[in-house]
Amino acid sequence: MEERTQPGDAICETDTSLHNACVVEIITLGGLDIRFRGKSLIESRSGLRRVLELLKYLIAFRNRRLLPEVIIDEMWPSCDFVDPKSVLRTQVFRLRCLIKDIVAETGCQDTPWMELNSTNGFYILEVGSRCRVDADIFEETIAYAEATEQEDVSAAISLYKKALALYQGAYMAGHVRGDWLTPIQNHYHRVYMRALFRLLELLRNANAYHEIIETCGKAFWIEPHDEALHLCFLQALTDMGDTKSALSHYSYLTSFLERELGVKPSAALRAFYRKLQQRIDESHETDLVLIKKSLIDDERAGAYRCDVDHFRSLCQVEIRRSLRTGKPVFLGMITVSGLDGSRNGKQAQTVADRITHMLSSSLRKGDVFAWWNQNQVLLLITLQDRKNVNKVGQRLHARLQEIADKENVRARLEFQPLTPEISLLVY
């Protein structure tokens, strides 16, 4: 067996070297694949599920001596095999056959680049220097970038970008049994996030706002829920003077986080929004036409959905308008719960989506609604005549009940006047 790759060797290789004779890529970031000259060597063997699971494990702990008992306990913790060592020996035999086949497919039998050996009661998957493991290159490139920062920031930025491009998702992403993979995935995710934010910091110091936006855009595919990443993106937009795009992204982000995670905007996000609004207010270059363009509503029919903070402001506006015009304003609330009384069921998101669609299509364009939490949505309705609230309530209750019956949940609708003339109405 040939010598293993030394630290730093992979960095010195050019990208074209990966396509030279007998140089094999082992892809682990985003899934497992073994490629030779751009072609997958294991994609057509997806039916060998248990063998490929063993291959994942051994690649993760490559070039290390592993006891059979440890492999069994970590890979199949809940499997009640009569003879687990025999099961492992069978999978090892099949994996050796697979390795032999893919090594032969590369035409490198004279200098095998991967071998599964057993010695003194241990198994060891030996991976030679002809292999380029993306996870190794990823960490080495980041280390090289960190060491280069003081001397050449531009080179460090380039290295960080090269490293981040390798991270295409969680380490060995895909179904595996046991918890052995989780700590490794967490490690590489931490390394990725640390490098990502260090790159963003260097770009910010260089006022490279376009590059920040491009970098964040790529990272959103990996980390769509990270608020700190979105804040970097929003800050770069505002630093470029593109406040309209920043407002649009803030609106998208708050709706996305509420829809996907059921969470409200954080204090940091709300603080950014206030600063953004203040910046717009203080700008002397924004004329009335641009303000109108940024504020005008879209042409979609139906009610307006907003976040809770915006809903609160609109309530204050409508109360003041009602005092002046005499038109009644009602605060409504829909509460959804399971038939057993539980307020957090598996269908919560499905029910929320259906109720959102129902409200958008059933209420008027002047009405407003906002999700207060995962199971409650608030309504703000202004009417010409307070008697019409019963018609609105009966119509919404009927459509709400259709959803409740289909999804096997309970739904309660009630209205409370924001002016004190009328008592609570429950449907």
Side-chain angles (χ1 to χ4, degrees), residues 153-218:
V153 174
S154 179
I157 289 174
S158 178
L159 286 166
Y160 277 123
K161 287 182 178 179
K162 179 180 178 182
L164 295 176
L166 292 173
Y167 193 89
Q168 296 297 310
Y171 183 83
M172 298 278 193
H175 173 72
V176 294
R177 281 172 287 189
D179 299 325
W180 63 269
L181 186 56
T182 302
I184 308 175
Q185 289 179 330
N186 291 341
H187 165 74
Y188 284 107
H189 181 259
R190 287 193 300 269
V191 173
Y192 169 76
M193 296 301 291
R194 186 181 70 241
L196 172 62
F197 283 106
R198 183 54 185 156
L199 171 60
L200 292 173
E201 183 179 355
L202 294 177
L203 292 174
R204 181 167 177 78
N205 292 340
N207 296 326
Y209 304 125
H210 287 285
E211 292 186 60
I212 292 175
I213 290 170
E214 180 182 359
T215 300
C216 289
K218 293 177 181 178

Side-chain angles (χ1 to χ4, degrees), residues 183-184 288 346 359:
I184 308 175
L288 187 58
K346 295 180 180 179
L359 292 175

Side-chain angles (χ1 to χ4, degrees), residues 45 91-102:
R45 298 172 169 88
Q91 300 309 316
V92 166
F93 172 78
R94 292 174 178 172
L95 180 54
R96 281 174 172 155
C97 294
L98 173 62
I99 292 173
K100 182 179 179 181
D101 289 344
I102 62 177

Side-chain angles (χ1 to χ4, degrees), residues 38-39 72 92 97 109 132 157 189 236 242 274 335 351 403:
K39 178 185 176 182
I72 293 168
V92 166
C97 294
Q109 299 95 317
R132 298 290 182 266
I157 289 174
H189 181 259
D242 192 355
R274 287 192 294 269
T335 302
V351 174
I403 297 174

